[in-house]
Amino acid sequence: MTDAVSTATRPGRSATAETVRRLPEYLMIWVPLLLSAAHLITFSIWTIWISFTPSTLIPVSGWVGLRNYNSVLASRNWQIAFDNLLLFGSAFVLLSLITGLMLAILLDQRIRGENVLRSIFLYPLAVSFVVTGTVWSWLLNPGIGIQKLVHDLGWTSFRFDWLIDRDMAIWTIVIAAIWQSSGFAMALFLAGLRSVDSDIIKAAQIDGAGPVRTYWRVILPTLWPITITVVVVQLQFAISAFDLVRALTNGGPGIATQLPALVVYDLMFQRSQLGRGAAAAVLMLLILLAVLLPYAAWRYVQRRQATHA
């Protein structure tokens, strides 16, 4: 009888002891996670509420409907920022994708000094966007940067003044962003290339496929999931870009390189129009959701197909 009771209670004691033993792990993971989720949800709801109020310097109650949204959407600042976002987002994502893929293919050739090159290509990720923007603003400044260096070498007709050119300034942000983020794309693509089944590659080579055809027809199609992940992550960066633009051009010359995040900052902290700034922030959130929700749906379908396969 005693043995039976002992046997029946032992699993319960074991589960309790296991729970107590793993309690620090649960606290380390779930407490910060729940606090972060509560912080995100609370301030998102607060921002949405503020966007429907006539708040200016301080939050006030009241209801103005969509007036703040109409005002933001009709403003020249937002229209220029949205146009710049389309240009910057498409150029940055496409070019960083191509650059990262080319670097990954280069390293995948098992070249000498691969570890050194990989560290060099990944180094920009360790630098903050503020530092990146500041350094690139020095390099692209026609008075102290590349243009002055070439002039000092004797080629006085050389011009590289994109930083102060209203039509080309947005491309300076694209250049700096590609330098900063290509290493991230390279790391993901390189991991994907190294995970391709070697038997498939050998079979293609036996069939007479050269290196270019092997990459184009056999290896690259297997990288579609990684490609989509890189695109989504880079799009998130493009939509929320602030530090880099602030340090590199501060939205200038004039407002030629404004992006939505700078419009939010300008409305909230420089013009003290809290309601309109919140409306612009909510519009940014909607743009982000337009990217993230299709990606989440695609990942859900992928998992379902993998489960039923």
Side-chain angles (χ1 to χ4, degrees):
M1 180 68 178
T2 304
D3 292 343
V5 172
S6 176
T7 304
T9 56
R10 193 172 298 144
R13 288 180 180 176
S14 177
T16 303
E18 179 66 13
T19 303
V20 171
R21 188 183 68 80
R22 302 193 62 179
L23 185 59
E25 299 175 20
Y26 296 142
L27 292 176
M28 289 290 290
I29 295 173
W30 285 104
V31 171
L33 192 62
L34 291 175
L35 286 175
S36 299
H39 175 273
L40 179 66
I41 294 171
T42 301
F43 281 96
S44 296
I45 294 174
W46 186 82
T47 302
I48 293 172
W49 173 70
I50 288 293
S51 70
F52 291 104
T53 67
S55 300
T56 52
L57 184 60
I58 57 175
V60 296
S61 60
W63 181 263
V64 295
L66 296 175
R67 191 175 73 187
N68 287 328
Y69 289 91
N70 293 332
S71 177
V72 170
L73 290 172
S75 69
R76 184 167 173 265
N77 272 10
W78 179 263
Q79 291 171 2
I80 291 176
F82 189 74
D83 291 343
N84 284 338
L85 176 62
L86 292 178
L87 175 61
F88 168 68
S90 344
F92 162 65
V93 172
L94 180 62
L95 294 177
S96 65
L97 202 68
I98 294 173
T99 306
L101 180 60
M102 292 297 105
L103 293 176
I105 292 176
L106 170 68
L107 294 181
D108 192 43
Q109 308 309 309
R110 313 283 182 180
I111 58 177
R112 181 176 298 177
E114 177 188 332
N115 291 335
V116 175
L117 290 174
R118 191 164 48 197
S119 300
I120 292 173
F121 296 147
L122 286 174
Y123 174 75
L125 285 176
V127 181
S128 73
F129 287 116
V130 174
V131 174
T132 298
T134 303
V135 172
W136 276 99
S137 69
W138 294 339
L139 291 173
L140 299 173
N141 188 320
I144 60 175
I146 297 173
Q147 178 172 303
K148 184 176 185 305
L149 174 65
V150 177
H151 283 188
D152 291 344
L153 293 175
W155 190 6
T156 55
S157 61
F158 176 77
R159 287 191 60 190
F160 190 51
D161 55 355
W162 290 5
L163 197 62
I164 58 174
D165 188 324
R166 299 179 64 88
D167 296 325
M168 300 302 294
I170 190 69
W171 291 100
T172 63
I173 303 174
V174 173
I175 292 171
I178 290 172
W179 180 84
Q180 174 87 22
S181 302
S182 291
F184 166 75
M186 179 210 71
L188 292 188
F189 279 127
L190 185 59
L193 290 173
R194 295 283 164 84
S195 65
V196 175
D197 190 348
S198 58
D199 292 339
I200 299 176
I201 300 175
K202 288 178 182 176
Q205 293 171 342
I206 291 172
D207 288 342
V212 175
R213 191 178 176 188
T214 301
Y215 270 101
W216 183 252
R217 301 294 296 273
V218 178
I219 299 177
L220 294 184
T222 66
L223 300 181
W224 272 114
I226 294 175
T227 304
I228 293 175
T229 301
V230 172
V231 168
V232 171
V233 173
Q234 303 289 52
L235 275 176
Q236 289 182 70
F237 163 73
I239 294 169
S240 60
F242 174 79
D243 303 9
L244 180 63
V245 188
R246 176 81 173 167
L248 182 56
T249 65
N250 196 22
I255 56 172
T257 56
Q258 284 272 37
L259 286 176
L262 269 74
V263 176
V264 174
Y265 177 81
D266 179 54
L267 290 172
M268 280 192 169
F269 302 109
Q270 293 184 319
R271 302 190 187 192
S272 299
Q273 296 179 351
L274 202 56
R276 292 181 62 192
V282 173
L283 290 173
M284 279 186 63
L285 177 63
L286 294 177
I287 297 172
L288 270 173
L289 291 177
V291 174
L292 294 179
L293 290 181
Y295 176 68
W298 176 77
R299 290 296 301 258
Y300 175 75
V301 171
Q302 290 288 313
R303 282 197 295 269
R304 294 267 302 177
Q305 290 177 346
T307 303
H308 295 293

